[in-house]
Amino acid sequence: MTEKNNFETILKWIVVVILAFAALKILLTVMGIAFFLGGFLLFRVLPVVLVVWLIVKIVQWLGGSDRGTSTSTLDL
């Protein structure tokens, strides 16, 4: 009777360990994708966005746009 319980316990722990390794592999894959996208956005996209934003601000400053009037298309 105890031999069957020992076998079931060992089998259960083997399954738990295999599932834990699978979950860890999935987690590491997701984290790797997140770090890749974060690095790409931080070092490739953000500098371009900042340069374009600075150019827009300089053009607005040189053009002397009036801050009282809005040119947004959201104003109806």
Side-chain angles (χ1 to χ4, degrees):
M1 184 77 172
T2 60
E3 187 175 314
K4 184 177 180 183
N5 287 338
N6 287 340
F7 178 72
E8 288 177 358
T9 303
I10 291 172
L11 191 61
K12 177 180 68 172
W13 279 108
I14 289 173
V15 170
V16 167
V17 168
I18 290 172
L19 290 175
F21 276 124
L24 187 62
K25 184 176 179 179
I26 291 171
L27 177 70
L28 290 176
T29 302
V30 169
M31 292 297 290
I33 292 170
F35 279 119
F36 172 76
L37 285 176
F40 177 77
L41 291 173
L42 184 65
F43 294 110
R44 299 289 180 178
V45 176
L46 182 64
V48 174
V49 170
L50 288 176
V51 167
V52 170
W53 180 77
L54 283 173
I55 291 172
V56 167
K57 289 299 176 183
I58 290 171
V59 168
Q60 285 179 351
W61 181 68
L62 289 176
S65 64
D66 189 10
R67 296 195 189 274
T69 60
S70 177
T71 58
S72 175
T73 58
L74 296 176
D75 294 336
L76 297 175

